[in-house]
Amino acid sequence: MMLPCNAPLQETRNASQEHRNRCHNCAVPSGTERRAGCDTIRARVLVARRPSGIEGRAFSSGAWLRPESLSEIHKQRTVSWNFQKFKTMKNLLLLLLCVFIVKSQAQYYDDLDEGDKVVATVDARGHRPLDKKREEVPTLRPAPPPISGGGYRARPSKAVAGQKKVERKAPDAGGCLHADPDLGVLCPTGCQLQDTLVKQERPIRKSVDELNNNVESVSQSSSSTFQYITLLKEMWKDRQKQVIDNENAVNEYSSELEKHQLYIEETVNSNVPTNLRVLRSILENLRSKIQKLESDVSAQMEYCRTPCTVSCNIPVVSGKECEEIIRNGGETSEMYLIQPHSSITPYRVYCDMTTENGGWTVIQNRQDGSVDFGRKWDPYKQGFGNIATNAEGKKYCGLPGEYWLGNDKISQLTNMGPTELLIEMEDWKGDKVKALYGGFTIQNEANKYQLSVSKYKGTAGNALIEGASQLVGENQTMTIHNGMYFSTYDRDNDGWITTDPRKQCSKEDGGGWWYNRCHAANPNGRYYWGGHYSWDMAKHGTDDGVVWMNWKGSWYSMKKMSMKIRPFFPRQ
């Protein structure tokens, strides 16, 4: 670019040579103007190179300038500088605009997708610009060699001028003319073939249409057949799988059956004969026991053919209960007559005059299992069993028997005043314990002979008030007897609330008692010899023995147990 002579100067020592060169290239109209411009430049350079100590002057055309000339030069230089600065900024802006347009066009071509067409604004072109970011550089494909050999025959030589063209005539042989006259006529066979083909076109087309229809129907039936075949294959695969599974199952069960067969054979061949021998020995033992029992039964039947009578003298002394008898002079433990009230007929009881200072009326006694206590409501109401028997060589009945005095009598005696209850028991080793209750009352029949006890003392355990000591929580509460009604198997008054009539404590535990759900004590239960028994020995699989759980647990039946009452009185 050509720069004007008044371009900005550099404040360096080599500025004079640079601007001297510029002045030679200045485009000025005449030599005078060029010389004035160069003098101006030279003056600027000299001002920049003036020696030190010379102030206020400048050198122009080989002489130093005055200060007035210097100020004018300074003003001209400032104007030129501003003008040059404006033109420079203009050129820079044009340059930036060009650069921006070029970049925009490059970005536009880069963003074009494959298949986009670029329309040239200046010249049309057949190629497509290459997107170097997305496309590979095109390469030439290998081309096969051109076809060689064959081709047209040589052209016939042109007819010599002057010779006449011989006109060919179609032979008259029944042929037909060709569409192009120059090609002559068709031979007769060709004409016949054409006619024959034209005649056969329509029936053949009908046959072809029928054939197409038949092919389509065959295709449809083939597709249906293929579907059926596919379905049959799937069914066959499923059947094969099922057959394999069945074979595996059969093999598994066969192996199990073989194992069981081996086990049965071993059992039958080894264990069964041994068990049979054991059973034979047990049967022989049972036969011998049965024969012994039959002989004992026959002896008892001979003995019982005559009535069982007890001949013993009844003491003359009597009273309302045994406490009054001992106070009236009765000192021996034997059978007495008592009359609690004048309106009541006197009845026999056994009085214990030795235990705990005597005066005890025995209301229940178990000692040998000779009396069955599994009875109904009325026998328990009236009483049953043997009160006493006479000892050998003695004329009075000094030995107590097994009996229940009767609920009506017990209720009358306990409602005469404060009454205390003593329960004594003995195991099969001879060990003895007792339970003493300072308060004991039985209500009448209208109140179902409800039980009330209090003030326990003793060594047997407080089974009537606290329940079974082996149990806890609500299970222990189910075995408390205090406050319960009296129950027998024909009169269910227990605390076992159920709609099943078979679930009764009296029926399962073998006697009448003040059952809850069901018991911690069962003095009227079944009598088991030897003490220990198990659930398979019980009639209903329950602990139905003569039980006091707080001492011996559920599966131990006592040898002896007795219940005795007397009026409460202060001790001295």
Side-chain angles (χ1 to χ4, degrees):
M1 181 184 292
M2 296 297 293
L3 296 176
C5 291
N6 56 355
L9 301 177
Q10 296 182 4
E11 298 297 333
T12 55
R13 293 186 179 272
N14 57 358
S16 62
Q17 182 65 33
E18 179 182 353
H19 288 281
R20 188 178 298 115
N21 294 332
R22 288 184 181 181
C23 289
H24 288 291
N25 297 326
C26 287
V28 294
S30 64
T32 305
E33 292 177 0
R34 178 177 180 181
R35 184 177 183 87
C38 291
D39 290 341
T40 302
I41 297 301
R42 190 178 293 110
R44 292 176 186 173
V45 174
L46 289 176
V47 169
R49 297 176 60 186
R50 67 184 174 179
S52 61
I54 300 176
E55 296 180 359
R57 294 187 296 172
F59 189 83
S60 178
S61 302
W64 294 103
L65 298 177
R66 291 178 181 272
E68 294 82 2
S69 301
L70 185 62
S71 61
E72 292 176 359
I73 295 171
H74 181 68
K75 290 180 181 179
Q76 293 177 2
R77 186 178 63 180
T78 303
V79 173
S80 300
W81 173 261
N82 292 332
F83 182 75
Q84 185 66 27
K85 183 178 180 181
F86 172 75
K87 293 185 68 177
T88 304
M89 293 298 293
K90 180 180 178 182
N91 294 330
L92 288 175
L93 289 174
L94 290 173
L95 180 62
L96 290 175
L97 181 59
C98 294
V99 172
F100 178 76
I101 291 171
V102 172
K103 286 187 176 181
S104 299
Q105 290 179 354
Q107 184 67 27
Y108 171 74
Y109 287 118
D110 291 340
D111 294 336
L112 284 177
D113 294 329
E114 290 184 2
D116 293 340
K117 295 182 180 180
V118 180
V119 179
T121 58
V122 180
D123 297 328
R125 58 186 179 183
H127 71 283
R128 300 294 182 268
L130 177 65
D131 187 357
K132 296 182 179 180
K133 294 182 178 180
R134 301 182 182 180
E135 299 176 350
E136 296 180 358
V137 178
T139 58
L140 296 177
R141 296 180 180 176
I147 298 174
S148 61
Y152 289 100
R153 290 177 293 177
R155 291 182 179 180
S157 59
K158 294 183 178 180
V160 180
Q163 291 183 356
K164 294 183 180 181
K165 184 177 181 181
V166 180
E167 184 179 357
R168 293 180 300 170
K169 292 183 179 181
D172 188 9
C176 55
L177 294 176
H178 197 275
D180 187 1
D182 294 337
L183 295 180
V185 295
L186 294 175
C187 61
T189 56
C191 294
Q192 294 175 2
L193 180 62
Q194 181 180 3
D195 295 337
T196 304
L197 290 176
V198 170
K199 290 178 181 180
Q200 293 182 356
E201 180 180 4
R202 290 183 179 179
I204 289 174
R205 181 168 295 179
K206 291 181 180 180
S207 300
V208 169
D209 293 338
E210 293 178 358
L211 184 62
N212 286 333
N213 295 330
N214 294 333
V215 169
E216 185 176 359
S217 62
V218 170
S219 176
Q220 292 179 357
S221 61
S222 299
S223 62
S224 301
T225 305
F226 179 76
Q227 292 178 357
Y228 287 131
I229 290 173
T230 304
L231 182 60
L232 289 174
K233 286 182 179 180
E234 294 178 355
M235 293 176 62
W236 175 255
K237 289 180 181 179
D238 295 339
R239 184 61 60 86
Q240 288 293 109
K241 183 178 179 181
Q242 185 176 3
V243 168
I244 294 172
D245 294 339
N246 292 336
E247 289 179 356
N248 294 334
V250 169
N251 293 332
E252 182 178 358
Y253 284 116
S254 298
S255 61
E256 291 293 330
L257 288 175
E258 289 178 357
K259 292 180 181 178
H260 288 298
Q261 182 181 2
L262 293 175
Y263 174 76
I264 292 172
E265 289 178 354
E266 292 177 356
T267 304
V268 170
N269 295 332
S270 60
N271 296 334
V272 171
T274 305
N275 294 334
L276 289 176
R277 287 193 294 271
V278 172
L279 289 175
R280 288 192 187 96
S281 62
I282 293 172
L283 288 175
E284 294 296 331
N285 190 12
L286 288 176
R287 286 193 185 96
S288 61
K289 289 183 178 181
I290 290 171
Q291 291 176 358
K292 184 178 180 182
L293 287 174
E294 288 176 351
S295 61
D296 292 339
V297 168
S298 61
Q300 289 293 330
M301 290 178 65
E302 289 293 333
Y303 176 75
C304 291
R305 284 176 182 174
T306 57
C308 296
T309 58
V310 176
S311 58
C312 56
N313 298 326
I314 296 177
V316 178
V317 61
S318 183
K320 295 180 179 180
E321 72 284 313
C322 294
E323 176 62 25
E324 187 172 331
I325 291 174
I326 195 173
R327 294 186 181 193
N328 291 335
E331 297 180 353
T332 59
S333 297
E334 59 180 310
M335 184 173 63
Y336 292 90
L337 285 175
I338 63 173
Q339 188 178 15
H341 193 266
S342 59
S343 62
I344 298 175
T345 302
Y347 53 87
R348 294 172 296 174
V349 296
Y350 186 87
C351 294
D352 182 0
M353 301 301 187
T354 58
T355 303
E356 298 286 339
N357 297 322
W360 297 100
T361 302
V362 178
I363 62 174
Q364 184 260 11
N365 188 49
R366 304 295 299 275
Q367 60 185 11
D368 55 12
S370 59
V371 176
D372 182 15
F373 275 68
R375 306 202 180 197
K376 296 183 179 181
W377 180 266
D378 288 339
Y380 269 100
K381 174 184 176 180
Q382 299 169 4
F384 57 86
N386 300 319
I387 301 297
T389 59
N390 57 345
E392 294 181 2
K394 296 182 180 180
K395 295 182 180 181
Y396 62 92
C397 295
L399 297 177
E402 283 198 343
Y403 70 96
W404 178 259
L405 183 61
N407 289 337
D408 283 343
K409 298 173 185 177
I410 297 172
S411 177
Q412 292 168 0
L413 291 172
T414 58
N415 282 280
M416 290 172 59
T419 306
E420 55 184 354
L421 170 67
L422 176 64
I423 302 176
E424 293 181 316
M425 58 198 79
E426 179 182 346
D427 65 6
W428 291 83
K429 295 180 181 179
D431 298 330
K432 299 178 181 179
V433 292
K434 62 182 179 180
L436 177 64
Y437 291 91
F440 175 66
T441 303
I442 300 299
Q443 301 298 324
N444 57 19
E445 185 179 11
N447 292 316
K448 303 176 184 178
Y449 303 116
Q450 186 177 15
L451 170 68
S452 298
V453 291
S454 61
K455 302 176 184 179
Y456 165 78
K457 292 190 300 183
T459 57
N462 190 6
L464 299 184
I465 297 177
E466 295 180 356
S469 58
Q470 295 89 344
L471 304 176
V472 294
E474 62 179 8
N475 293 331
Q476 185 176 7
T477 305
M478 293 177 187
T479 61
I480 294 174
H481 297 281
N482 189 25
M484 294 295 108
Y485 299 124
F486 198 86
S487 294
T488 57
Y489 67 85
D490 65 331
R491 192 79 62 88
D492 184 18
N493 297 318
D494 58 30
W496 191 357
I497 307 301
T498 178
T499 57
D500 190 353
R502 297 173 298 176
K503 297 183 180 299
Q504 297 180 15
C505 294
S506 178
K507 184 179 293 185
E508 292 187 356
D509 291 349
W513 186 246
W514 293 277
Y515 290 112
N516 190 342
R517 185 186 169 138
C518 281
H519 67 257
N522 193 29
N524 295 337
R526 293 185 177 87
Y527 194 88
Y528 288 95
W529 286 83
H532 291 285
Y533 68 105
S534 58
W535 64 270
D536 55 344
M537 298 171 63
K539 185 176 181 179
H540 297 280
T542 59
D543 52 340
D544 58 353
V546 182
V547 171
W548 193 270
M549 288 182 62
N550 295 44
W551 184 34
K552 292 291 185 179
S554 299
W555 303 103
Y556 190 91
S557 183
M558 303 298 171
K559 182 180 180 181
K560 294 181 180 181
M561 183 176 289
S562 63
M563 300 174 65
K564 308 169 184 180
I565 59 174
R566 73 181 176 186
F568 176 79
F569 57 89
R571 305 294 189 270
Q572 294 182 350

